[in-house]
């Protein structure tokens, strides 16, 4: 092994998970963050980051596809950040 020392640390608490979600999903309310944190029990900080990245990619894709189907160009249009439902969907996958 490349490393001789292994450091163990516990998974984040619900409060800590909400704080991690807050880093990546600044647009969500405290209530939304608490709901996400409850659904992410047993997840590490890295897992939470991955959930957020997945939600944001899928949201971006749906916005672009929606503009394309309407014949619009993505340039010059403002986009809203992902809603709670997008994060919940990614959390369940």
């Amino acid at each position: 092994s490349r490393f001789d020392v292994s450091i163990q640390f516990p998974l984040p608490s619900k409060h800590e998970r909400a704080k991690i979600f807050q880093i990546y999903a600044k647009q969500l309310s405290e209530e939304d963050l608490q709901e996400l944190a409850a659904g992410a029990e047993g997840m590490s900080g890295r897992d939470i980051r991955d959930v957020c990245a997945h939600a944001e990619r899928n949201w971006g894709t749906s916005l672009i596809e929606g503009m394309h189907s309407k014949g619009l160009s993505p340039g010059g249009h403002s986009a809203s950040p992902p809603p709670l439902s997008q994060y919940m969907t990614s959390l369940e996958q």
Side-chain angles (χ1 to χ4, degrees):
S1 159
R2 291 179 53 185
F3 301 102
D4 294 332
V5 177
S6 177
I7 300 172
Q8 300 288 335
F9 54 92
L11 292 173
S13 67
K14 181 180 177 189
H15 173 75
E16 292 164 335
R17 291 190 305 271
K19 291 294 186 186
I20 295 168
F21 274 114
Q22 186 178 41
I23 292 168
Y24 298 106
K26 293 176 175 58
Q27 75 280 7
L28 297 180
S29 69
E30 183 61 33
E31 183 179 307
D32 291 346
L33 295 170
Q34 291 299 322
E35 185 175 344
L36 281 171
E41 187 169 352
M43 290 186 144
S44 68
R46 174 67 184 256
D47 295 333
I48 292 169
R49 185 195 75 166
D50 291 347
V51 164
C52 291
H54 184 263
E56 291 160 4
R57 278 193 307 272
N58 285 348
W59 183 247
T61 298
S62 68
L63 290 176
I64 291 168
E65 288 174 349
M67 287 180 193
H68 184 342
S69 69
K70 294 176 184 176
L72 301 173
S73 169
H77 295 280
S78 62
S80 62
L84 173 63
S85 60
Q86 188 68 53
Y87 290 96
M88 293 301 289
T89 297
S90 292
L91 189 61
E92 294 166 2
Q93 293 182 349

